[in-house]
Amino acid sequence: MTERKWWKEAVFYQIYPKSFYDANGDGIGDLKGITQKLPYLKELGITALRICPFYQSPMVDNGYDISDYYQVNPEFGSIEDAEELLQCAKRYGIRVILDMVLNHTSDQHPWFREACADKNSKYRDYYIFRDDISKASQFRSIFGGSTWTRTEDGSWYYHTFAQQQPDLNWENPGLRKELYTMINWWLDRGISGFRLDAITCIQKDMSFPRVEADGADGLCDLRNYGLNVPGIEEKLRELKKETYGRGDYVTVAEAPGIPGERLEEYIGEDVFFSMIFDFSYTDIDLEPGSPWAKMRRWSLEEFKEKLFRNQRFVSETGWAANYLENHDQPRSISKYFQRKDIEKYSDQMAKALGTLFFFLRGTPFIYQGEELGMRNTCFSSIDEVNDVNSLGQYERALEEGYTRQEALDAVNRRSRDHARYPMQWNGDLNFGFSEGKPWIQCGQTCGELTVERESVDGQSVLSYYKKMIRLRNHSPYSEVLIYGDLEEIAPDPDIICYKRIRGGEEVRVAVNMSGKTLPFAEMRQVLLSNYEDPSGAALLRPYEAAVWVE
Ligand code: NOJ
């Protein structure tokens, strides 16, 4: 019997603060902006927020490069603004979890500056320095280029991500203690838990074995040596015991490198995390380990297989964090559906994808703008792109011999900036996001999708999301939709279908992922449909989604 938990019943909303709402008119979203939009979030029905980093940072990687964990980056506001946000959210009954980046800091963090300035400083060992790397591995960092960067004194430091994000040395007990103190400080501010960024990167093979290059850059994929290396268990156990293990907190781990069949070793009361974000179906379009976001062909069959595999692996002891979008993913409509159908069916598609992930067993994580059906934007030049990852990928594509247009096409398919252009509030200047010049240009492709318009349209994607939340959390079917087991049904290769079952009750979910009308079962009582006239007939129309009881 699944144990009841507040976070299992929660509906999370993920916020990228820089692009959500700008309250002070400087073109950058801020914490006051989030506080001002709490009524909107309450009305939507979500019960918890996951907020991307707003700590002090030079913003090379938009806040995932932290230079002071105890301060708010001035462009987002102040600690008082953070406290006000937390208090107001509490009044609205909305819990807040923060992104916590523990694998690396910014190169501007005083620890790192001290470590570079003085080889004998205690902070030197907070990071991974080597005097000689001639025999060490030449891994490719996630954002491109070597994982080793040279300092002024001729030594080298290791970084999994950008060179401005030096990795912390988790072997150092003093460092770990400082991190735990800081984490507890945030927990004491009244947050409900964390999303743990790149947490499986904290343990690496510190012998850095020499391995053969696998790309034109002369470097090699770091995944076998720099992710989830044995020994990580002890670190995670201690982290939990010293911090969030103290109370009823939730942790959602970004944990690349954990194979599905080992998930139960990581998720659950007695192990490390409450949930883990699975990338297998959201990165299905990417060539694994490709240095420049090379696309790969994938089939719906494969997508289903990965989706349900994850559900199966966490069905016994764990709990899933279900999502299709976040601040690192392009918009899901643009990823999963064919361009030719998008104009005609975008509304059905947005609702269909919502239906697909929302009723799986686990906690749903909506990403800002997904509830409006926002889609990828279009970059006409690489100069319009801000994302450090896309900029690196663009360069690597050129290095690999692709033309500028091909490199830009790849960015247009996969850039993280598709999820980071401003939230669309209304039809005013900059979609009501800011009265100033936005730090990144607004979207180019779905101007009519705004909160203002969709709020008054009972058939909008936004209204549909509200209905989904009501059905999952406040209906006679809540118990089965939250805690019920999941069983896949396979009626047709183009349909994703499953049922949720609990105590003799059963609710079914079906999504036609194709542009074809397909024969389907009779639906006795339709609880939710993404077409205005739920047919209930023995067919599913293009991109039709339905939740029903037989
Ligand atoms: C994963 C985060 O989701 C991503 O946005 C960030 O760039 C890297 N980790 C580095 O912290």
Side-chain angles (χ1 to χ4, degrees):
M1 173 69 79
T2 313
E3 199 190 343
R4 290 173 183 276
K5 287 279 179 193
W6 67 265
W7 46 265
K8 291 182 180 169
E9 293 169 21
V11 176
F12 271 84
Y13 188 87
Q14 310 178 80
I15 292 189
Y16 199 63
K18 203 169 175 182
S19 307
F20 190 59
Y21 182 60
D22 171 19
N24 69 6
D26 65 356
I28 299 173
D30 44 42
L31 298 187
K32 276 197 187 322
I34 302 178
T35 307
Q36 287 180 22
K37 293 298 182 186
L38 285 172
Y40 164 71
L41 297 168
K42 180 76 190 165
E43 163 82 19
L44 174 58
I46 59 94
T47 62
L49 295 180
R50 167 208 153 206
I51 309 181
C52 288
F54 52 73
Y55 316 95
Q56 188 170 296
S57 161
M59 303 297 277
V60 171
D61 188 15
N62 279 334
Y64 285 91
D65 46 330
I66 299 172
S67 54
D68 187 341
Y69 288 96
Y70 292 93
Q71 296 296 332
V72 169
N73 204 38
E75 63 189 30
F76 292 134
S78 60
I79 278 288
E80 290 71 38
D81 294 334
E83 283 178 344
E84 191 194 357
L85 166 57
L86 292 172
Q87 276 163 19
C88 287
K90 194 168 180 191
R91 281 202 294 279
Y92 279 103
I94 296 176
R95 294 184 181 250
V96 176
I97 71 168
L98 303 185
D99 240 279
M100 183 46 75
V101 188
L102 299 172
N103 176 64
H104 47 270
T105 65
S106 155
D107 62 351
Q108 299 307 307
H109 195 292
W111 296 342
F112 189 71
R113 292 166 75 127
E114 193 59 33
C116 289
D118 176 4
K119 274 191 162 186
N120 298 317
S121 133
K122 74 164 186 181
Y123 298 113
R124 187 78 174 182
D125 192 50
Y126 277 26
Y127 296 89
I128 303 167
F129 281 93
R130 294 287 182 271
D131 286 333
D132 177 8
I133 55 158
S134 56
K135 297 206 174 58
S137 45
Q138 291 297 333
F139 294 138
R140 178 180 307 111
S141 67
I142 306 278
F143 295 157
S146 169
T147 49
W148 295 105
T149 288
R150 196 156 208 184
T151 63
E152 277 175 16
D153 67 18
S155 57
W156 305 81
Y157 67 90
Y158 184 89
H159 51 91
T160 303
F161 295 91
Q163 70 179 63
Q164 296 88 344
Q165 294 168 298
D167 278 29
L168 289 164
N169 174 19
W170 270 73
E171 303 304 324
N172 183 307
L175 161 82
R176 298 204 301 272
K177 195 155 175 251
E178 289 215 44
L179 290 177
Y180 302 155
T181 306
M182 176 277 293
I183 294 171
N184 287 327
W185 186 86
W186 275 106
L187 289 175
D188 293 343
R189 309 259 87 62
I191 60 161
S192 294
F194 296 106
R195 171 213 185 242
L196 297 165
D197 184 71
I199 194 67
T200 36
C201 301
I202 63 170
Q203 184 82 33
K204 31 232 156 211
D205 182 341
M206 296 292 261
S207 68
F208 297 110
R210 194 98 192 148
V211 261
E212 253 180 58
D214 62 12
D217 54 6
L219 302 169
C220 153
D221 189 1
L222 61 71
R223 274 174 305 167
N224 291 336
Y225 305 89
L227 279 187
N228 202 35
V229 165
I232 195 167
E233 300 81 2
E234 271 160 54
K235 309 271 177 3
L236 296 177
R237 194 168 301 119
E238 183 185 271
L239 166 65
K240 180 175 176 186
K241 176 167 158 278
E242 297 294 328
T243 60
Y244 48 79
R246 296 184 296 128
D248 188 16
Y249 299 111
V250 68
T251 47
V252 199
E254 188 202 34
I258 301 181
E261 54 278 14
R262 291 191 52 205
L263 279 174
E264 62 178 9
E265 293 168 42
Y266 294 79
I267 319 177
E269 270 306 277
D270 304 327
V271 270
F272 315 124
F273 314 119
S274 322
M275 302 175 256
I276 287 183
F277 286 120
D278 177 26
F279 294 108
S280 67
Y281 52 89
T282 45
D283 280 349
I284 193 167
D285 58 332
L286 280 180
E287 198 65 65
S290 155
W292 63 278
K294 188 171 180 198
M295 308 308 285
R296 64 181 284 274
R297 285 191 171 280
W298 57 276
S299 66
L300 186 60
E301 204 45 43
E302 192 189 345
F303 176 79
K304 281 198 248 185
E305 204 275 318
K306 289 182 189 300
L307 188 75
F308 290 119
R309 209 168 112 90
N310 178 258
Q311 288 279 307
R312 269 198 312 281
F313 283 132
V314 293
S315 65
E316 292 294 313
T317 52
W319 192 256
N322 298 319
Y323 77 106
L324 290 179
E325 295 188 8
N326 65 29
H327 67 292
D328 289 337
Q329 294 288 332
R331 294 292 183 175
S332 51
I333 295 186
S334 309
K335 187 197 301 176
Y336 294 116
F337 293 123
Q338 295 198 3
R339 215 176 285 176
K340 67 174 178 41
D341 277 358
I342 291 184
E343 277 319 311
K344 185 163 177 204
Y345 292 112
S346 62
D347 183 80
Q348 275 86 8
M349 287 172 171
K351 297 170 183 168
L353 289 175
T355 314
L356 167 61
F357 85 92
F358 205 82
F359 297 105
L360 292 170
R361 182 171 176 280
T363 301
F365 284 74
I366 304 166
Y367 178 72
Q368 67 185 46
E370 192 174 9
E371 80 279 20
L372 303 177
M374 283 171 71
R375 311 197 282 277
N376 282 359
T377 182
C378 180
F379 303 105
S380 47
S381 142
I382 192 67
D383 300 335
E384 292 167 10
V385 176
N386 172 280
D387 172 17
V388 60
N389 193 21
S390 299
L391 297 174
Q393 285 167 344
Y394 181 81
E395 288 308 318
R396 288 200 298 282
L398 297 182
E399 258 169 43
E400 298 265 337
Y402 291 90
T403 64
R404 286 185 184 283
Q405 190 54 50
E406 285 165 334
L408 186 65
D409 288 347
V411 168
N412 262 315
R413 280 192 302 267
R414 251 292 166 175
S415 177
R416 305 190 298 180
D417 281 352
H418 289 302
R420 299 176 180 189
Y421 70 84
M423 174 76 177
Q424 300 185 161
W425 295 101
N426 56 40
D428 297 350
L429 177 71
N430 302 323
F431 294 98
F433 159 70
S434 172
E435 286 174 3
K437 183 174 182 312
W439 66 278
I440 187 171
Q441 81 180 16
C442 291
Q444 309 284 316
T445 52
C446 49
E448 74 289 358
L449 304 178
T450 65
V451 169
E452 186 179 58
R453 284 179 67 147
E454 295 197 29
S455 298
V456 292
D457 173 1
Q459 297 304 323
S460 66
V461 178
L462 178 59
S463 298
Y464 190 82
Y465 265 79
K466 290 181 186 169
K467 288 178 204 158
M468 289 203 299
I469 296 175
R470 277 203 299 273
L471 180 59
R472 178 182 185 272
N473 281 41
H474 308 285
S475 81
Y477 304 97
S478 295
E479 183 69 18
V480 57
L481 286 173
I482 296 174
Y483 288 109
D485 293 336
L486 180 139
E487 251 178 50
E488 183 188 356
I489 311 171
D492 182 291
D494 282 324
I495 297 174
I496 295 185
C497 187
Y498 55 85
K499 58 181 170 185
R500 303 292 308 276
I501 317 153
R502 186 167 170 96
E505 265 212 276
E506 220 180 86
V507 176
R508 294 181 176 228
V509 178
V511 180
N512 178 359
M513 295 290 284
S514 79
K516 296 173 277 187
T517 296
L518 299 170
F520 195 65
E522 196 96 21
M523 303 176 212
R524 186 171 60 81
Q525 187 192 351
V526 178
L527 307 176
L528 191 64
S529 163
N530 67 344
Y531 270 72
E532 265 181 57
D533 51 334
S535 64
L539 47 87
L540 278 181
R541 289 162 284 183
Y543 305 102
E544 182 161 8
V547 182
W548 82 102
V549 282
E550 277 210 323

